[in-house]
Amino acid sequence: MGPVWGIDLGGTKIEGVVLEDALNPVVLKRLRVSTEKEKGYQHIIGQIVKLVEVLMAETGVKPDKIGIGTPGTLEPSTQTMKNSNTTCLNGKYLKRDLERALSMPVSMANDANCFAIAEARLGIIKNTLPDAKVVFGVIIGTGVGGGLVIDGKIHHGKQGIGGEWGHSYMEASGGKCYCGQIGCTETIISGPALERYYHSKMGIKKDLHQIIEDYYEGQDDIATETVNRLLKYFGQGMASIINMIDPDAIILGGGLSKIDLLYDEGVKSIEQHIFNHKLETPILRPSLGDSAGVFGAALL
């Protein structure tokens, strides 16, 4: 066993890490470069190659293979990317093209799956519920997604969309999603969706952090309405996950996971919708912070 390498490909940044080994996540080196997705697909490939070359130069280690977490999913039947909000990746042979550009094997998974497996094997689940067999990792931030880990392994599903609760139908008022559907969960409770909702009601643009502050101050009825919208649909969405999968634990990730309300009022909202006499599923805060995605990629 030796160093493991992970790349977290995001819409604005690409992060790389070299860990001492898969059981001992001591960081040997960690670097970031800008994605610059507006420059297109080939430029993103080049940015990943540049990042790996710098990591090799600074660690003196050359990987045998590398794990990469991506926005979107690799379609199992065609091996092309799909469902990515970095839309220039969709339809492209990203795994094949990276293996050619890097001259090494690449393991690839959705970024939400990387978050889930990192928290399951290295983070909050390992530290608090080590016997958990089924873990669901929720991402609520710029987008909404999820990852399912069973017995320490990612459950990708037949179509590669295991855990993608962000594109289940929730409520038509969310409007059209980038995926082409109407009223996806992502159009209701993602950060940008909530900010759009506030703006549509108030005529003033505020970021979600300010909306939450205004909610606590109790002087802005539209802030209260916006937060109540989040709590209502968060409860419904999470209850659907629990009703279908009944995981041993759920971990919240993404920017909205820092909102304290989700762990008390949000939990009360879940309790109103689950098909059980009470909520027994722990709703946990993540412990790895922004390391989870790139650590999970390395575990691939």
Side-chain angles (χ1 to χ4, degrees):
M1 187 177 295
V4 291
W5 290 57
I7 300 288
D8 183 16
L9 171 56
T12 58
K13 65 175 176 61
I14 306 169
E15 183 169 13
V17 73
V18 183
L19 302 179
E20 190 170 297
D21 61 56
L23 299 177
N24 186 27
V26 173
V27 175
L28 300 180
K29 192 67 184 179
R30 186 172 178 175
L31 291 172
R32 293 179 177 181
V33 297
S34 296
T35 308
E36 298 174 344
K37 62 183 179 181
E38 68 279 359
K39 296 183 180 179
Y41 176 69
Q42 290 299 331
H43 182 77
I44 292 174
I45 295 283
Q47 290 293 86
I48 293 171
V49 171
K50 179 171 73 175
L51 180 60
V52 172
E53 288 175 345
V54 174
L55 284 169
M56 286 194 293
E58 296 199 6
T59 61
V61 177
K62 182 178 180 180
D64 296 321
K65 54 188 175 181
I66 198 162
I68 298 183
T70 64
T73 300
L74 195 68
E75 167 60 53
S77 61
T78 65
Q79 292 295 292
T80 57
M81 292 295 294
K82 65 179 181 181
N83 300 340
S84 176
N85 53 12
T86 301
T87 54
C88 67
L89 300 178
N90 291 327
K92 300 296 197 299
Y93 292 93
L94 181 61
K95 182 177 185 294
R96 181 200 69 185
D97 293 344
L98 282 173
E99 287 180 333
R100 289 176 177 176
L102 294 169
S103 300
M104 69 182 73
V106 166
S107 296
M108 189 173 290
N110 175 264
D111 48 11
N113 285 323
C114 290
F115 162 77
I117 198 168
E119 289 290 353
R121 288 175 52 181
L122 300 175
I124 190 65
I125 298 299
K126 178 185 176 183
N127 295 328
T128 64
L129 294 169
D131 295 330
K133 301 294 185 184
V134 180
V135 175
F136 197 94
V138 163
I139 299 291
I140 315 179
T142 303
V144 174
L148 180 59
V149 175
I150 302 173
D151 292 328
K153 297 180 180 180
I154 294 170
H155 177 73
H156 295 280
K158 179 177 176 59
Q159 299 164 102
I161 57 172
E164 281 292 355
W165 75 299
H167 295 278
S168 298
Y169 176 79
M170 179 161 278
E171 220 277 333
S173 64
K176 190 170 183 179
C177 182
Y178 79 89
C179 74
Q181 301 299 318
I182 300 292
C184 291
T185 302
E186 185 165 305
T187 70
I188 301 289
I189 62 171
S190 68
L194 292 163
E195 291 169 356
R196 285 194 300 271
Y197 181 82
Y198 181 89
H199 180 239
S200 73
K201 295 286 185 176
M202 194 67 169
I204 299 171
K205 290 186 177 182
K206 287 186 180 179
D207 65 33
L208 188 59
H209 176 76
Q210 185 61 56
I211 294 169
I212 298 292
E213 283 192 5
D214 291 349
Y215 166 85
Y216 280 118
E217 290 177 3
Q219 303 298 314
D220 184 338
D221 290 343
I222 302 302
T224 298
E225 185 179 331
T226 301
V227 172
N228 285 339
R229 180 178 174 87
L230 165 62
L231 294 172
K232 173 185 176 180
Y233 289 112
F234 171 79
Q236 288 185 13
M238 298 288 283
S240 294
I241 293 169
I242 294 168
N243 289 344
M244 287 187 289
I245 299 171
D246 198 11
D248 295 308
I250 291 177
I251 315 136
L252 304 186
L256 274 67
S257 70
K258 299 173 184 177
I259 297 175
D260 292 337
L261 278 167
L262 295 183
Y263 301 92
D264 42 53
E265 297 304 315
V267 167
K268 290 177 184 177
S269 181
I270 299 170
E271 290 173 337
Q272 296 174 18
H273 300 286
I274 60 166
F275 187 52
N276 200 38
H277 60 285
K278 65 176 181 177
L279 177 63
E280 298 181 1
T281 311
I283 309 298
L284 303 173
R285 298 175 189 265
S287 66
L288 296 175
D290 65 358
S291 298
V294 74
F295 281 18
L299 291 177
L300 298 177

